[in-house]
Amino acid sequence: MRHPSGSRYKIETLPKEILWFSQMFGGFPIKYAIDANGNRRLKFSPLVFSWGVIVVIVQSVVLMMWLGMIYKEAFSGLKVEVVSNTTLLVVTLDVLSLTLMILVVFASYLRKFKTFIAVCELLEKVDESLQQKMYGFRTRLRVLIIFLFTVIILTYSAITEYKRPLFQEIKLLEVFRSVISHIPIVNVYCTQSALFVHFTYITNTIAKRFKINNARIKQEVTRRCLINQCLPSEETKSSPLDDSSKCELKVLVDNYWLLCDAVHLANDFYCDQLLVTVLSSFCHITIALYYLIVHITTGDSMYITNDGAWVLFHILHLILLIRPSTEVTESAEATAPTVCKLINMCTDSTLTRQLESFLLQLPNHNARFCALGFFDLNNETLTSMAGVVTTYVVILFQFQSQNQTL
């Protein structure tokens, strides 16, 4: 952890690939720029903001137009079997949840971009201390895979959705119908993918920093204990390593508090975005499961494959979104047991007092993510949501059967 004299460890906290992806599809209005000291810093970008406004307006208007066309044709005399009340309900939930998501995400970007920049600055301080690179080729490959996977599944879905009776019965121009029905959906899901990419990157790297910092604390205390065992007590008291160890440990403790502050700021930035994206995933899992069961009963293999792929897509998205936030909490909470073990093995009274003081402060810092205070993002959320999804799928089938009996 000793820094080379006159050198400064500097690395961009947010990789440019993730930033470009977020700018292109989410309109994240920040960019890297050179400050007065010659360092690359994140700052607000009016150009990216303007692009984001255009994207959000076009997506919202086109989605509402699409929904309006479906309602217009439905009330113009289409058969109930083609456009039932249940179909209108799930299509409305689909469009409204997507529209709400893109509006809230972009509004949060605009209102809280300074908070995100503050998170990155805190993480830069920790990186300077740990001298640890947090990303490389794997990060770039991950962004590319997520983008390609999203585009592939949406393209396949566009081909199958185009042949659904709902869209075949609506009398629109063929080319215009295809554009209206699918291009906005592709863009909206890419916006969701952009949020997924930078949120999971930030949370994964925070968890990694907690683990590295815990390992360094253990390494430093173990090193000092070994030195104390090798040196006579008189030499231990006068050893210059006492001050060095105390300083090293203080830096690592400060790193822990900086990471906790970063979690709190990141949660403030992401909380409303997480709420709408989890609710959107909940709606889409419910809708996709409903249609999957419907097509299983009718035996339509093409739609079974399509709807099954969408179910897996939304479930994997939710699991991979929540898992990193769980790892952050677990990594932060792993510090207390580690410190307790170190206190028991430590023979240096100065270090023991320092560790005990650190341990007493740990319960006051809660490193976890939540969805605007409504629920925490952890593995228990997944099990709770599974039960709720099952309940609402049953309600949709009951609603559909009641409509058919009328």
Side-chain angles (χ1 to χ4, degrees):
M1 285 224 319
R2 292 174 177 80
H3 306 282
S5 59
S7 67
R8 188 182 179 206
Y9 185 78
K10 184 68 177 174
I11 188 170
E12 295 173 352
T13 306
L14 188 67
K16 58 181 179 297
E17 292 81 10
I18 293 179
L19 183 58
W20 290 343
F21 192 78
S22 304
Q23 289 173 335
M24 182 179 299
F25 296 108
F28 202 174
I30 59 174
K31 66 175 182 178
Y32 276 110
I34 306 299
D35 63 10
N37 298 322
N39 297 320
R40 286 171 60 82
R41 296 288 184 184
L42 289 170
K43 62 176 291 186
F44 179 79
S45 172
L47 180 62
V48 180
F49 165 71
S50 302
W51 165 253
V53 171
I54 294 172
V55 169
V56 169
I57 291 176
V58 171
Q59 288 176 340
S60 303
V61 170
V62 174
L63 282 173
M64 289 297 103
M65 287 174 58
W66 180 56
L67 182 62
M69 290 176 188
I70 293 175
Y71 268 86
K72 178 181 177 181
E73 296 294 334
F75 290 115
S76 297
L78 285 180
K79 296 179 181 179
V80 167
E81 304 88 63
V82 176
V83 184
S84 65
N85 290 335
T86 308
T87 302
L88 289 176
L89 174 63
V90 296
V91 170
T92 303
L93 288 175
D94 186 9
V95 173
L96 291 182
S97 64
L98 289 175
T99 305
L100 178 65
M101 183 197 67
I102 59 177
L103 291 175
V104 171
V105 168
F106 184 71
S108 181
Y109 286 168
L110 182 59
R111 292 187 303 110
K112 301 180 181 180
F113 71 90
K114 291 182 179 179
T115 303
F116 184 83
I117 294 175
V119 172
C120 293
E121 290 175 349
L122 288 176
L123 296 181
E124 283 179 3
K125 292 180 181 178
V126 176
D127 290 344
E128 290 176 7
S129 173
L130 295 178
Q131 296 279 294
Q132 187 74 31
K133 186 176 181 180
M134 292 297 162
Y135 72 93
F137 175 74
R138 291 179 61 184
T139 299
R140 299 180 178 92
L141 182 62
R142 178 168 168 266
V143 174
L144 179 62
I145 290 174
I146 290 174
F147 176 73
L148 291 177
F149 179 76
T150 304
V151 171
I152 288 171
I153 193 171
L154 288 169
T155 302
Y156 174 77
S157 177
I159 295 172
T160 56
E161 289 288 332
Y162 185 76
K163 298 181 179 180
R164 280 190 192 272
L166 172 60
F167 299 114
Q168 290 176 355
E169 290 289 332
I170 298 177
K171 304 301 181 181
L172 301 172
L173 293 176
E174 296 297 321
V175 176
F176 184 66
R177 180 179 69 185
S178 178
V179 172
I180 291 296
S181 300
H182 304 121
I183 297 301
I185 303 297
V186 171
N187 289 333
V188 170
Y189 278 111
C190 286
T191 299
Q192 191 175 37
S193 297
L195 170 62
F196 172 83
V197 166
H198 63 74
F199 172 74
T200 55
Y201 174 79
I202 290 294
T203 48
N204 275 321
T205 55
I206 289 177
K208 183 178 179 180
R209 289 176 176 95
F210 270 121
K211 293 175 183 177
I212 294 173
N213 200 63
N214 290 343
R216 295 279 179 87
I217 291 175
K218 184 177 181 180
Q219 179 183 359
E220 176 61 29
V221 175
T222 302
R223 181 180 70 88
R224 182 56 186 159
C225 291
L226 292 174
I227 293 175
N228 287 340
Q229 292 175 1
C230 295
L231 293 175
S233 59
E234 292 80 6
E235 295 183 27
T236 302
K237 292 179 181 178
S238 60
S239 173
L241 288 174
D242 282 331
D243 294 335
S244 174
S245 277
K246 186 175 180 180
C247 181
E248 292 282 346
L249 187 58
K250 184 179 185 304
V251 170
L252 294 171
V253 170
D254 290 342
N255 285 344
Y256 182 87
W257 303 134
L258 287 175
L259 288 173
C260 288
D261 291 340
V263 172
H264 295 154
L265 287 175
N267 183 64
D268 181 53
F269 175 75
Y270 284 113
C271 60
D272 46 358
Q273 302 176 57
L274 292 173
L275 177 62
V276 293
T277 194
V278 169
L279 290 178
S280 177
S281 296
F282 163 75
C283 291
H284 288 95
I285 291 173
T286 305
I287 293 168
L289 273 175
Y290 167 76
Y291 277 120
L292 176 62
I293 297 173
V294 168
H295 292 126
I296 288 176
T297 58
T298 59
D300 196 327
S301 59
M302 183 176 67
Y303 295 138
I304 290 174
T305 303
N306 177 58
D307 295 328
W310 273 114
V311 171
L312 290 177
F313 176 82
H314 291 300
I315 291 177
L316 285 175
H317 167 259
L318 197 58
I319 292 174
L320 295 177
L321 183 74
I322 290 178
R323 181 56 193 165
S325 63
T326 305
E327 289 184 356
V328 169
T329 303
E330 292 174 350
S331 301
E333 292 178 348
T335 304
T338 300
V339 173
C340 287
K341 293 178 182 178
L342 294 175
I343 290 175
N344 293 331
M345 64 176 286
C346 187
T347 58
D348 188 310
S349 59
T350 303
L351 286 178
T352 300
R353 287 193 299 270
Q354 196 172 0
L355 290 173
E356 288 176 346
S357 175
F358 178 40
L359 184 62
L360 290 174
Q361 298 176 61
L362 286 177
N364 298 325
H365 291 75
N366 189 10
R368 64 180 66 244
F369 287 87
C370 66
L372 206 60
F374 288 98
F375 52 86
D376 292 334
L377 260 72
N378 51 40
N379 294 334
E380 295 179 0
T381 304
L382 296 174
T383 56
S384 301
M385 188 171 292
V388 177
V389 166
T390 303
T391 301
Y392 277 93
V393 170
V394 172
I395 291 174
L396 284 175
F397 276 104
Q398 290 177 342
F399 187 52
Q400 176 68 11
S401 61
Q402 288 177 359
N403 288 333
Q404 290 176 348
T405 57
L406 295 177

